[in-house]
Amino acid sequence: QVQLVESGGGLVQAGGSLRLSCAASEGTFSRSFMAWFRQAPGKEREFVARITWTGRFTNYADSVKGRFTISRDNTKMTVYLQMNSLKPEDTAVYYCAADLPPYSDSPGGYEYWGQGTQVTVSS
């Protein structure tokens, strides 16, 4: 029922910044928790960041902690991922995901997924 569309990916030099956006199609977004995952070629899809439906609590993978920030605007039905100090190892397709509680940091815990947006970081 919920559709998600990511945008904001692109090519950036190491040390640069990007902001990803994920827009939802319906108002149930306001009662969902949201997350970002990423997947590089030949790799498993891995957790990046999660945010509660109120937007007051967040969780991050150790690999991005201190560099990435997740936020949401429930009026606009949009979740964001601000990525700073980017490294070549951040290169991947980034996916947003949504679901109702219980909360999860595993891909199997999410019902709704976007199509993904490519992020490439050059050295």
Side-chain angles (χ1 to χ4, degrees):
Q1 185 175 4
V2 176
Q3 294 182 329
L4 305 172
V5 179
E6 301 99 331
S7 62
L11 175 64
V12 65
Q13 292 185 347
S17 299
L18 286 173
R19 189 177 79 156
L20 306 183
S21 299
C22 177
S25 63
E26 61 154 55
T28 55
F29 172 89
S30 65
R31 299 186 294 275
S32 70
F33 65 96
M34 302 288 296
W36 287 94
F37 291 80
R38 66 186 183 186
Q39 188 168 18
K43 301 291 186 179
E44 296 281 339
R45 188 168 298 187
E46 67 173 347
F47 169 77
V48 175
R50 188 189 73 223
I51 189 168
T52 60
W53 75 271
T54 65
R56 295 185 179 183
F57 299 96
T58 58
N59 190 42
Y60 298 92
D62 288 341
S63 60
V64 306
K65 195 172 299 180
R67 299 188 296 120
F68 291 9
T69 302
I70 188 171
S71 61
R72 68 190 293 166
D73 185 332
N74 289 349
T75 300
K76 298 180 179 179
M77 297 188 293
T78 301
V79 64
Y80 305 95
L81 185 68
Q82 178 66 47
M83 305 185 295
N84 298 326
S85 302
L86 283 163
K87 305 175 181 179
E89 51 263 43
D90 295 318
T91 295
V93 177
Y94 283 71
Y95 300 89
C96 67
D99 214 332
L100 296 175
Y103 304 108
S104 178
D105 293 339
S106 300
Y110 291 82
E111 181 177 358
Y112 303 104
W113 292 86
Q115 83 288 348
T117 185
Q118 177 71 46
V119 172
T120 302
V121 184
S122 62
S123 60

